[in-house]
């Protein structure tokens, strides 16, 4: 959790917060959630006798006199629960000298979670200065100097008590995490301050612009009851992100989404308005980038359903209620079964069969996709090995990887372990990523896939043609197969543009020596078109829907798979 509370040194802009931290006459310390020192200002050095290099990583108990260590731990744990603490304690100087000091202990938050603790330490006494300093940190965000969620609640509460009408916007900034990971948290803080500055400029009529989370802002407009005015203002805020942001590296763009509520019609309580604005923002995020949406009863119903699905998905994992099915992949010319794709299915006890398009995004947003993905991979490899041991001709099974699985440092080790546990050779496994995921690959990810290729594993790009792929990625990425998305196949008979796109993909693949699988083949005419243009494989309901392991084995047997012959279903 090496998130430095202050990483602003070296920047000359009038950053009042940096000045507050570095030059405040009282000692200020920052700890991680385990109680280890992350940072301190110059006054802290004078107080303890330690340099930052000596102190960094030292436990809080090492700084406190032995008699007060249990007390220090107790107040520290209370602060982690989100409660400000004010108490007296004895601190031990590097020389061994003990001093009685006053500590104001404040939780540090990055969004909804507490990520550390801040100590403001001073000599016993001076209650006025202590109160003013503590109140500033309670009410204001440390990076942007904007009012925080606590202040927003107070102001919104005042609006509701005065029975005024108005508009509240919840603004979620995308891409900030990638900036932090790529350029560092210091750069992320600079971006946050620039975005905050631009928002205040275009939303000058706002009663308050607040930072309420790691990458979330809120805008409160007193008296704004007209939806048209609210929509125009929201679009102005989103337009702030149209510009290219430049730091020390290449320029990059940001995106965001806004949820809008209007009071009192969307709620007469602070927490309800905040919740409804957040729901509208999440709904906007699901639609597209740089989009705003007003709260509605339909959005509330959708979010209630989402919460039910999220809790149901967690329960399904625990109770092993998810199921893997297998769809045959057919050679377009010989009609032989040459492989299969492992697909995930879920039947909710109350809501029935849930589309993967609905529950997979939930699994990804909650992180559940990582354990689910590993289970699917192991189940698929185990079943493929079982069919081989039953005497069927060996075939390759393809399994989809999620973007979160791609980011796991131990992906290669996980795949290798699963192959070893199931006894399946790497050459009978194919891993698929979507074209959109391919666009986000970094050099380390490409190296990961080269390691997988050395294990004999095949690599495929799923949903090809739906993103904005670059030939550079195809050049760098060790890919064996392109899978044409079903959206290009469904209307191919009467749409010349679709036919041209498919022909172009097939020609591109041939030039790059890549195999091609066409998904969603449901009509004989679609198959005939693909066959004439030398598409390698086809997959779809024309040949077979996804099948359970038992039904798939029956499909193989009924089509003479043991002899390598498969009947033409057309």
């Amino acid at each position: 959790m090496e998130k430095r509370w202050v990483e602003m040194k070296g920047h000359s802009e009038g950053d009042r917060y940096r000045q507050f931290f570095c030059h405040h006459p009282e000692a200020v310390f920052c700890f991680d959630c385990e109680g280890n020192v992350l940072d301190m200002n110059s006054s802290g050095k004078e107080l303890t006798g330690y340099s930052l290099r000596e102190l960094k990583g030292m436990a809080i108990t090492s700084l406190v006199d032995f008699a007060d260590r249990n007390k220090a731990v107790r107040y520290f744990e209370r602060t982690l629960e989100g409660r400000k603490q004010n108490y007296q304690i004895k601190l031990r100087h590097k020389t061994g000298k003990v001093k009685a000091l006053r500590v104001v202990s404040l939780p540090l938050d990055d969004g909804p979670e507490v990520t550390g603790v801040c100590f403001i330490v001073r000599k016993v006494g001076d209650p006025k200065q202590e109160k003013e300093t503590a109140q500033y940190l309670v009410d204001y965000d440390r990076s942007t100097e904007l009012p925080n969620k606590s202040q927003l609640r107070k102001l919104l509460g005042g609006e509701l008590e005065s029975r005024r009408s108005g508009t509240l916007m919840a603004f979620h900034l995308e891409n900030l995490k990638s900036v932090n990971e790529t350029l560092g948290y210091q750069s992320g803080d600079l971006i946050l301050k620039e975005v905050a500055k631009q928002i205040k400029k275009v939303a000058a009529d706002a009663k308050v612009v607040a930072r309420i989370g790691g990458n979330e802002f809120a805008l409160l407009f007193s008296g704004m009851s007209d939806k048209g005015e609210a929509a125009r203002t929201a679009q102005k805020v989103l337009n702030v992100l149209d510009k290219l942001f430049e730091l020390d590296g290449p320029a990059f763009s940001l995106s965001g989404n806004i949820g809008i509520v209007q009071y009192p019609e969307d709620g007469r309580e602070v927490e309800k308005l905040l919740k409804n604005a957040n729901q509208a923002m999440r709904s906007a995020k699901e639609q597209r980038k740089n989009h705003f949406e007003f709260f509605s009863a339909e959005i509330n119903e959708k979010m209630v359903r989402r919460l039910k699905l999220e809790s149901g998905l967690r329960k399904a994992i625990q109770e092993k209620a998810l199921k893997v099915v297998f769809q045959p992949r057919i050679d377009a010319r010989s009609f032989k079964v040459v492989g299969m794709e492992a697909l995930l299915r879920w039947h909710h006890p109350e809501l029935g069969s849930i589309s993967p398009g609905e529950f997979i995004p939930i699994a990804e947003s909650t992180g559940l996709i990582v354990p689910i993905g590993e289970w699917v991979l192991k189940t698929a490899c185990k079943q493929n090995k079982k069919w081989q041991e039953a005497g069927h001709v060996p075939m390759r099974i393809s399994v989809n990887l999620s973007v979160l699985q791609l980011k796991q440092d131990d992906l290669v080790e996980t795949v290798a372990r699963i192959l070893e546990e199931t006894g399946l050779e790497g050459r009978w496994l194919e891993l698929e990523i979507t074209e959109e995921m391919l666009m986000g690959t970094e050099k380390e990810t490409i190296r990961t896939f080269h390691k997988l290729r050395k294990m004999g594993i095949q690599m495929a790009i799923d949903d090809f043609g739906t993103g904005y792929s670059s030939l550079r990625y195809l050049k760098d990425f060790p890919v064996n197969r392109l899978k044409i998305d079903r959206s290009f196949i469904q209307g191919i008979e009467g749409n010349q543009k679709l036919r041209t796109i498919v022909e172009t993909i097939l020609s591109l693949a041939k030039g790059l020596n890549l195999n091609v699988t066409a998904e969603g083949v449901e009509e004989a005419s679609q198959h005939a078109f693909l066959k004439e243009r030398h598409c390698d494989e086809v997959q779809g309901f024309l040949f077979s829907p996804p099948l359970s392991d038992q039904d798939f084995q029956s499909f193989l047997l009924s089509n003479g798979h043991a002899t390598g012959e498969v009947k033409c279903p057309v």
Side-chain angles (χ1 to χ4, degrees), residues 47-48 60-72 75 87-93 96-103 119 121-122 124:
L47 185 70
T48 65
I60 182 176
T61 50
S62 301
L63 292 171
V64 177
D65 185 56
F66 182 81
D68 279 354
R69 287 183 180 178
N70 289 337
K71 179 180 180 181
Y75 280 106
Y87 55 98
Q88 186 173 318
I89 205 164
K90 295 184 182 70
L91 196 72
R92 184 174 292 276
H93 192 271
K97 187 177 180 180
V98 175
K99 282 185 178 180
L101 301 167
R102 172 66 61 182
V103 174
F119 276 12
V121 183
R122 61 180 59 89
V124 175

Side-chain angles (χ1 to χ4, degrees), residues 323-326 387 545-554:
K323 185 172 69 172
V324 176
V325 294
F326 308 88
W387 283 321
L547 304 167
S548 67
D549 54 348
Q550 294 178 342
D551 290 341
F552 189 86
Q553 182 161 333
S554 298

Side-chain angles (χ1 to χ4, degrees), residues 502-522:
V502 172
E503 288 173 341
T504 301
I505 294 174
L506 289 168
S507 177
L508 172 67
K510 184 177 180 180
L512 295 174
N513 197 28
L514 302 175
N515 293 321
V516 178
T517 299
E519 298 180 294
V521 180
E522 298 180 359

Side-chain angles (χ1 to χ4, degrees), residues 378-528:
K378 186 172 183 178
T379 301
C381 291
K382 184 178 180 180
Q383 184 59 60
N384 197 17
K385 181 63 176 179
K386 187 181 292 186
W387 283 321
Q388 291 181 9
E389 292 174 342
H392 293 288
V393 175
M395 297 180 297
R396 189 172 293 114
I397 190 165
S398 59
V399 180
N400 291 278
L401 289 179
S402 74
V403 65
L404 287 183
Q405 285 177 283
L406 273 180
K407 293 182 177 180
Q408 297 299 304
D409 295 334
D410 60 347
L411 175 62
V412 174
E413 291 76 9
T414 297
V415 175
R417 173 175 51 80
I418 289 174
L419 289 176
E420 182 178 359
E421 290 175 354
T422 60
L424 185 70
E425 295 180 47
R427 59 178 172 154
W428 303 121
L429 174 63
E430 182 175 84
L431 297 176
E432 299 182 14
I433 67 169
T434 64
E435 183 180 10
E436 184 178 358
M437 289 163 60
L438 176 67
M439 293 293 290
T441 54
E442 299 173 358
K443 290 183 179 180
E444 184 59 38
T445 306
I446 294 174
R447 283 193 290 268
T448 294
F449 280 110
H450 277 290
K451 292 177 183 178
L452 293 169
R453 284 289 293 118
K454 287 182 179 179
M455 296 162 57
I457 298 168
Q458 299 282 292
M459 310 304 302
I461 301 176
D462 196 15
D463 300 338
F464 192 80
T466 58
Y468 304 92
S469 189
S470 163
L471 293 181
R472 179 175 65 84
Y473 287 95
L474 291 180
K475 173 181 70 69
D476 296 334
F477 190 75
V479 63
N480 306 96
R481 179 184 308 280
L482 304 181
K483 300 191 74 175
I484 304 177
D485 186 69
R486 64 176 58 249
S487 62
F488 295 111
I489 304 301
Q490 294 302 301
I492 203 170
E493 297 95 329
N495 191 316
Q496 184 56 46
K497 288 185 178 179
L498 289 180
R499 295 164 73 94
T500 301
I501 290 173
V502 172
E503 288 173 341
T504 301
I505 294 174
L506 289 168
S507 177
L508 172 67
K510 184 177 180 180
L512 295 174
N513 197 28
L514 302 175
N515 293 321
V516 178
T517 299
E519 298 180 294
V521 180
E522 298 180 359
E523 303 292 340
S525 57
Q526 296 168 355
H527 171 247

